[in-house]
Amino acid sequence: VCPNRVEAVLRTALSSLYLSCEYLRLRRACIRTARISAEAFQKALCPHRLLELDAARVNADLTIPDILQGLATNKYCQESIQRLVLTGLTMSSLEEPSWYRFSTLQGLRSLSLANVDFYDSGLVDVCSLPRLESLDLSNTSVTNLSPLLGLKERLRSLTLHQLKRLEMSTAQLLGVISQLNVLQVTDTAVRAFVEERPGMTFVGLLATDAGFSDFLSGEGNLKLVVLGMKNHPATLNVQLAASACVFNLTKQDLAAGMPVRLLSTVTQLLLEAMRTFPNHQQVLLCLSIAAEKLPAVSVQRSHFTGGSIQQLSTEQTAQLGAELFIVKV
């Protein structure tokens, strides 16, 4: 299909919307990947009392300030619009500053800014929205997530990945996330997230219900934890994160059906981590809690040559590990 023909049809359709605004009550608009000018956008869509607008990856001629300016021209739209998808858009041109703010959209509940050159000052503005419940900041230029605390009693859904410019330590990041009191992890939300990313090989779910185990393989995830522990034995943060994963994977009934060899390997790696960080109380505590959740594993003394394998409890296994016995099948 000729691109010029598609653009002409789109212009005609938008003009019809504009001309019939008095008779057509448009509530949801999707102009994904469309080629549309700022003027056409303002004339065709902004007069309507929109509830939702999906403008993901529209052409570069229509910027985020253009959209905000257009929506701000309709006082009813400022209160009515609840969902705004601006994925992949341009914040503004280099020649002109951006002075239109998200905070003019007082009714906004869901906002996606993924893959946008979006900075900290914009995040401060967004976090002042009084009804915002869902926010996607993936692959933006945000360096500090502290403004999210302004949404701690409202934000139910937060998507963050590929924040390459983030300048927060792990402790600082977790300190912010832990204060977002109403964040939810639901079965539907996680399933949709996984199904939309078929190439993803690992999902970490901390302190979630057992209902996810039907589509997230506990054994597969535990093998990935083992790989991380093996490849980074002297990295403190990796060992802490791995012990937390072990704890959450084994506190359910997932460990009961896992191979003994895999569980033995995990136990050995936990013991090695204890020896690597003998004076770090946080590590010892985390690893000890994780070890307690492992079922009894098969162990054998290094000098034992008999044909039988002695079954030991977790406490006995830990004692053997401290005495440099070998954990194996």
Side-chain angles (χ1 to χ4, degrees), residues 14 17 62 99 133 180 194 215 223-224 239 248 256 258 274 279 288 297 310 314:
L14 291 174
L17 286 176
L62 183 63
W99 61 87
E133 298 178 346
L180 302 179
V194 172
F215 66 98
K223 287 181 178 179
L224 288 171
Q239 298 302 320
N248 283 282
M258 294 182 186
M274 290 180 180
N279 299 319
S288 297
V297 295
Q310 183 181 7
T314 301

Side-chain angles (χ1 to χ4, degrees), residues 14-291:
L14 291 174
S15 298
S16 300
L17 286 176
Y18 171 61
L19 295 173
S20 62
C21 181
E22 295 182 4
Y23 310 100
L24 177 64
R25 297 180 178 179
L26 187 64
R27 293 293 180 261
R28 294 173 176 82
C30 179
I31 55 172
R32 273 185 179 234
T33 69
R35 298 181 62 183
I36 176 176
S37 67
E39 181 182 5
F41 170 78
Q42 183 167 338
K43 288 183 177 181
L45 297 177
C46 295
H48 296 272
R49 296 188 182 185
L50 294 174
L51 294 175
E52 299 182 5
L53 172 63
D54 186 343
R57 298 184 298 279
V58 297
N59 60 289
D61 294 335
L62 183 63
T63 66
I64 289 179
D66 291 332
I67 292 176
L68 296 180
Q69 178 187 8
L71 296 176
T73 60
N74 185 340
K75 64 178 182 179
Y76 299 106
C77 196
Q78 292 181 36
E79 292 292 336
S80 68
I81 193 162
Q82 299 179 13
R83 180 173 177 265
L84 187 57
V85 180
L86 303 176
T87 302
L89 267 67
T90 304
M91 242 347 248
S92 65
S93 66
L94 296 178
E95 292 79 15
E96 56 185 74
S98 171
W99 61 87
Y100 294 99
R101 298 184 176 276
F102 290 94
S103 53
T104 60
L105 306 178
Q106 293 290 293
L108 200 60
R109 295 180 180 273
S110 176
L111 175 63
S112 175
L113 292 167
N115 305 314
V116 171
D117 203 15
F118 184 71
Y119 295 89
D120 293 352
S121 58
L123 181 59
V124 173
D125 178 43
V126 165
C127 292
S128 68
L129 290 167
R131 300 177 186 175
L132 193 65
E133 298 178 346
S134 176
L135 180 61
D136 187 346
L137 295 173
S138 302
N139 197 25
T140 60
S141 299
V142 171
T143 66
N144 190 333
L145 295 176
S146 297
L148 290 175
L149 294 177
L151 300 170
K152 66 179 182 179
E153 301 300 335
R154 299 189 297 279
L155 198 62
R156 298 179 181 273
S157 173
L158 177 63
T159 305
L160 302 171
H161 60 79
Q162 296 185 4
L163 294 182
K164 300 175 183 178
R165 299 190 180 182
L166 196 64
E167 297 177 356
M168 302 176 72
S169 66
T170 301
Q172 290 172 330
L173 176 60
L174 293 177
V176 171
I177 301 298
S178 64
Q179 295 184 63
L180 302 179
N181 300 323
V182 294
L183 281 182
Q184 298 177 347
V185 180
T186 64
D187 186 23
T188 302
V190 176
R191 186 183 297 275
F193 181 85
V194 172
E195 291 177 350
E196 289 173 2
R197 295 161 176 80
M200 187 165 54
T201 59
F202 174 73
V203 177
L205 298 174
L206 180 63
T208 52
D209 296 330
F212 300 123
S213 61
D214 61 332
F215 66 98
L216 296 178
S217 169
E219 179 180 337
N221 285 344
L222 199 51
K223 287 181 178 179
L224 288 171
V225 172
V226 168
L227 183 62
M229 295 182 75
K230 281 184 175 180
N231 291 341
H232 305 278
T235 304
L236 177 59
N237 289 339
V238 171
Q239 298 302 320
L240 281 173
S243 63
C245 291
V246 170
F247 171 78
N248 283 282
L249 286 170
T250 56
K251 75 174 183 178
Q252 305 171 22
D253 295 329
L254 298 176
M258 294 182 186
V260 174
R261 182 181 298 276
L262 176 61
L263 296 175
S264 298
T265 301
V266 172
T267 303
Q268 182 178 1
L269 290 170
L270 289 173
L271 295 172
E272 290 176 355
M274 290 180 180
R275 289 194 292 268
T276 303
F277 304 100
N279 299 319
H280 198 291
Q281 294 182 355
Q282 186 179 2
V283 173
L284 295 177
L285 177 61
C286 289
L287 295 175
S288 297
I289 293 175

